[in-house]
Amino acid sequence: MPLPPIWVRRLVIAPAVVVLAAALLTTLPIWLVLALLASPMVPGHLRVPRLVLLAVLYLLWDATALVVLAALWVASGFGFKIRSPFFQRAHYVVTGRFLALLFWIAKWALHLTVDVVGTDPDTALPGRPEIVVSRHAGPGDSFVLIHALTNWFQREPRIVLKATLQWDPAVDVLLNRLPNRFISPGRAGTTTLEQQIGETATGLDDNDAFVIFPEGGNFTPRRRTSAIARLKARGLADAAERAENLRHLLPPKPAGLFAAIDAAPDAGVVFVAHTGLDRMVTVADVWQELPMDKRLVMKFWSVPPEEIPAGEEERVAWLYDWWARIDSWIEEHHPAFRPLSTDWTARRSAADV
């Protein structure tokens, strides 16, 4: 579905979210009673009330963020000074506070714990800008990564992310006010995307972190097969062979990352591996996984700028070496698949007869 124009998102969708959140808050007891009545019909301990409450809390989070952002817009002279250093910093503070709140909600709903393995990036590269290179494993893992950079390591992230995420009104308003870049890969040539990424990575200071996801999407077997086929069609036999050895990652698209490295030559590169919320991408996935204790494991590797290869071929080999290392780490740490309960499987089989 195409993204609506900005005036529809600001004047229709955003106010509608605030009104809907207020309506749900006033009628929350009714929804919880209905959810409790439905609970015996589905597996899991209080799965329906948990999901209902999680959805309402997220909507309230979104609406509250929109109200705060509207207040900042008015305080900035109705947007006149919204790009000034003071209000840019204010928006980063708001980002940190709301990410911390969302993280608390996730910890409560999913019994989520986060373990960071190894040295954090600020210990390895203190006082330097960073280019953070992460796998793409759904909104949950990505949200925790940005939360960690903002609240644990006191970084100001600049993010390259898909334009479709602007369907979320709070994400749309907040991230468009900061130096982030929403991209639509299917609507622009590679050169244009590289230029956009390079522009976003230009001018990083010592507490900035430029975040990029070279896979371009979440891993699925079908996407993996298609990506390998595209590499073979372009005559990149070596890259295709190395991609075939990856079990948990899509082959990286190096052009955007290399554009960021060229635009920020003083920045170190931080590779991030994480696993634990890989299967929680859609609402259906959340339904499948609840209720369950979730453990997210994160690993950081820091590479100083002087160790980044200069030539393109050397950089491609270097990137694939790191991708292989991250893939092996995920293989060692990813959680075992949890099938549906026996009772639920039996109910679904009976319903299908």
Side-chain angles (χ1 to χ4, degrees):
M1 183 180 297
L3 192 69
I6 189 169
W7 70 268
V8 173
R9 306 199 310 265
R10 296 293 187 273
L11 300 179
V12 179
I13 297 179
V17 166
V18 175
V19 172
L20 179 59
L24 286 176
L25 182 61
T26 57
T27 58
L28 181 58
I30 297 174
W31 294 108
L32 288 178
V33 169
L34 293 175
L36 286 169
L37 292 175
S39 283
M41 296 182 284
V42 298
H45 178 62
L46 299 178
R47 177 178 288 187
V48 178
R50 279 176 178 268
L51 189 60
V52 168
L53 192 55
L54 182 60
V56 172
L57 286 175
Y58 184 82
L59 197 63
L60 288 172
W61 176 90
D62 219 78
T64 305
L66 287 170
V67 171
V68 172
L69 291 170
L72 281 175
W73 181 76
V74 172
S76 68
F78 297 94
F80 181 70
K81 296 183 178 180
I82 204 75
R83 304 290 179 183
S84 68
F86 175 83
F87 280 99
Q88 288 287 284
R89 181 57 195 158
H91 279 78
Y92 274 118
V93 172
V94 167
T95 299
R97 297 294 184 270
F98 275 94
L99 283 174
L101 178 59
L102 192 58
F103 183 68
W104 179 85
I105 293 172
K107 287 180 66 176
W108 169 81
L110 307 176
H111 295 172
L112 177 67
T113 59
V114 180
D115 293 330
V116 177
V117 180
T119 304
D120 70 66
D122 281 348
T123 300
L125 296 174
R128 273 181 171 170
E130 298 170 348
I131 297 173
V132 180
V133 185
S134 177
R135 70 174 297 206
H136 202 302
D141 284 16
S142 301
F143 143 70
V144 175
L145 171 61
I146 303 304
H147 166 67
L149 291 172
T150 304
N151 291 313
W152 299 348
F153 305 135
Q154 285 72 53
R155 292 279 173 167
E156 295 182 349
R158 300 186 187 186
I159 316 165
V160 176
L161 61 172
K162 289 185 176 181
T164 52
L165 291 174
Q166 293 171 106
W167 275 102
D168 185 303
V171 171
D172 181 22
V173 175
L174 178 57
L175 296 191
N176 272 304
R177 290 185 185 176
L178 294 170
N180 304 297
R181 181 73 66 170
F182 289 96
I183 58 174
S184 301
R187 298 185 182 181
T190 302
T191 302
T192 302
L193 292 179
E194 289 176 15
Q195 290 175 345
Q196 291 178 13
I197 291 171
E199 290 170 1
T200 309
T202 299
L204 298 179
D205 60 30
D206 58 1
N207 71 334
D208 284 333
F210 179 85
V211 184
I212 190 168
F213 304 90
E215 292 169 290
N218 298 319
F219 177 92
T220 66
R222 183 175 179 179
R223 285 179 176 173
R224 175 181 179 273
T225 301
S226 298
I228 293 172
R230 285 194 297 270
L231 290 173
K232 291 180 178 178
R234 293 168 56 193
L236 302 174
D238 182 62
E241 182 179 353
R242 299 197 67 172
E244 287 175 337
N245 294 324
L246 299 174
R247 292 157 292 184
H248 304 281
L249 301 174
L250 298 176
K253 300 175 181 178
L257 172 59
F258 296 167
I261 291 173
D262 290 336
D266 296 331
V269 172
V270 177
F271 288 97
V272 184
H274 45 77
T275 187
L277 302 181
D278 314 46
R279 295 191 298 270
M280 299 187 69
V281 177
T282 65
V283 174
D285 297 331
V286 176
W287 171 262
Q288 164 69 23
E289 295 292 327
L290 284 176
M292 181 182 179
D293 292 342
K294 309 299 291 185
R295 176 175 177 259
L296 176 65
V297 186
M298 304 180 71
K299 171 73 173 179
F300 295 89
W301 293 273
S302 296
V303 181
E306 56 269 17
E307 294 183 11
I308 301 171
E312 183 174 355
E313 291 186 8
E314 292 80 4
R315 279 184 180 178
V316 171
W318 168 78
L319 178 57
Y320 269 91
D321 286 343
W322 273 106
W323 232 235
R325 184 173 183 176
I326 293 171
D327 190 73
S328 297
W329 184 90
I330 294 170
E331 176 67 21
E332 295 175 6
H333 293 85
H334 76 91
F337 176 71
R338 182 178 69 95
L340 287 168
S341 68
T342 304
D343 291 344
W344 178 238
T345 304
R347 289 183 189 180
R348 285 210 311 180
S349 299
D352 292 338
V353 172

